[in-house]
Amino acid sequence: MDQIAYVNGSFVPLAEAKISVLDRGFLFADGIYEVSAVLDGKLIDNASHLARLERSVGEIALALPETLDRIREIQKELIARNGIENGLVYLQVTRGAAAGRDFAFPKGVKPTLILFTSVKDIVNAPSAKSGIGVITVPDIRWARRDIKSVALLAQVLAKQAAAEAGAGEAWMIEDGKVTEGGSSSAFILTQDDVLVTRQNSSAILPGCTRKAVIALAEERQLRVEERPFSIEEALVAKEAFITSASSFVQAVVTIDGKTVADGRPGPMANRLREIYIDFARKTAE
Ligand code: PLP
């Protein structure tokens, strides 16, 4: 079956899904994206992703071409049309295609909205059992990382460096502290059992999975501290892990080739993963 994508009001075969070369997403990375997970054909924590979408577009004064309710309907229809049981729904909105290449916002141009899906068995991913290695790279991104912008070149380079090193993620470093992963939030569990993850600010993307995991941990009386941590601290921690819509909770077992604890996924990462998957299934829509 041909994959179906959504482009500006129409469901079309992926091969026929096209936008203009003048689209500002393509020319200027003038756009916002979101990725929601799908489990058993249902959207996971999607309200949180749509709330972040609304915030991101607001921060760049980009009006959504559809209501959030309509976007949710489109997401669901695409999942159904593509028969996605386990995977991801990607959505991107840009400031549309104007007549030329003026930097300033064009007038009277309709934003572009596209969505497509992919298949991914996040629950049974082999890396969830083995854990992943991360490498560290300098964080060379712009100063508004709280906006989920499609300008991802710094992350492309970071994740390519990770791939070349055989690692599963890159942790980006600024002023000696981890900001976050290339496409994930970063956590450690200290020797005195405190979960540490950087506080939300313009230095990081406010991860939806991060937010849910913190709430789930606190509901279980686990101690959470939102503050930056260094690689030195991570290397003497009990555990390290990442969170994201496309991996849920994933143990980090090496950093720049050095093992975290015994180099195996720890009990806290495994437990939080189970708790998150349980939450995801119970709240799926
Ligand atoms: N941080 C960055 C830079 C990301 O790109 C992502 C996801 O793509 C995350 C964190 C994790 O966010 P979420 O849990 O909402 O997927």
Side-chain angles (χ1 to χ4, degrees), residues 168-191:
E169 178 59 297
W171 274 6
M172 297 179 285
I173 310 292
E174 186 168 69
D175 298 333
K177 301 278 164 66
V178 176
T179 53
E180 58 189 328
S183 61
S184 58
S185 309
F187 284 74
I188 56 171
L189 176 71
T190 66
Q191 288 296 337

Side-chain angles (χ1 to χ4, degrees), residues 33 49 52 141 148 180-185 205 207-209 244-245:
Y33 76 107
H49 288 277
R52 187 173 63 189
R141 296 175 299 163
K148 201 165 169 66
E180 58 189 328
S183 61
S184 58
S185 309
L205 183 79
C208 296
T209 321
S244 71

Side-chain angles (χ1 to χ4, degrees), residues 36-232:
S36 298
V38 179
L39 270 192
D40 305 326
K42 291 185 174 162
L43 284 159
I44 303 307
D45 209 10
N46 195 47
S48 192
H49 288 277
L50 293 183
R52 187 173 63 189
L53 171 68
E54 193 169 39
R55 179 183 181 277
S56 290
V57 294
E59 291 297 309
I60 66 163
L62 169 56
L64 285 173
E66 302 288 350
T67 63
L68 293 185
D69 281 345
R70 177 63 192 140
I71 290 174
R72 183 178 304 110
E73 274 174 26
I74 298 166
Q75 289 174 308
K76 288 186 179 171
E77 182 161 353
L78 205 55
I79 290 167
R81 283 184 185 241
N82 287 331
I84 302 292
E85 278 300 305
N86 296 301
L88 300 164
V89 184
Y90 178 91
L91 83 83
Q92 175 168 327
V93 55
T94 77
R95 213 178 303 274
R101 191 180 165 272
D102 284 336
F103 282 68
F105 300 173
K107 290 199 175 62
V109 170
K110 209 175 171 215
T112 300
L113 176 63
I114 64 105
L115 289 89
F116 59 84
T117 58
S118 56
V119 173
K120 182 172 183 185
D121 189 352
I122 305 170
V123 171
N124 299 306
S127 53
K129 280 215 175 66
S130 60
I132 58 163
V134 302
I135 61 156
T136 59
V137 296
D139 196 333
I140 60 169
R141 296 175 299 163
W142 72 326
R144 290 300 307 276
R145 302 159 190 162
D146 55 311
I147 298 171
K148 201 165 169 66
S149 142
V150 295
L152 292 171
L153 191 51
Q155 285 102 312
V156 166
L157 298 177
K159 291 180 79 87
Q160 175 60 21
E164 284 172 12
E169 178 59 297
W171 274 6
M172 297 179 285
I173 310 292
E174 186 168 69
D175 298 333
K177 301 278 164 66
V178 176
T179 53
E180 58 189 328
S183 61
S184 58
S185 309
F187 284 74
I188 56 171
L189 176 71
T190 66
Q191 288 296 337
D192 44 359
D193 295 311
V194 181
L195 288 163
V196 179
T197 188
R198 196 178 183 111
Q199 71 276 21
N200 282 334
S201 71
S202 54
I204 64 166
L205 183 79
C208 296
T209 321
R210 169 194 180 282
K211 181 179 175 188
V213 165
I214 290 174
L216 292 164
E218 286 178 338
E219 277 165 26
R220 286 158 183 79
Q221 321 313 327
L222 298 170
R223 282 162 63 207
V224 180
E225 249 176 53
E226 293 182 62
R227 61 164 175 84
F229 62 85
S230 66
I231 291 301
E232 293 69 35

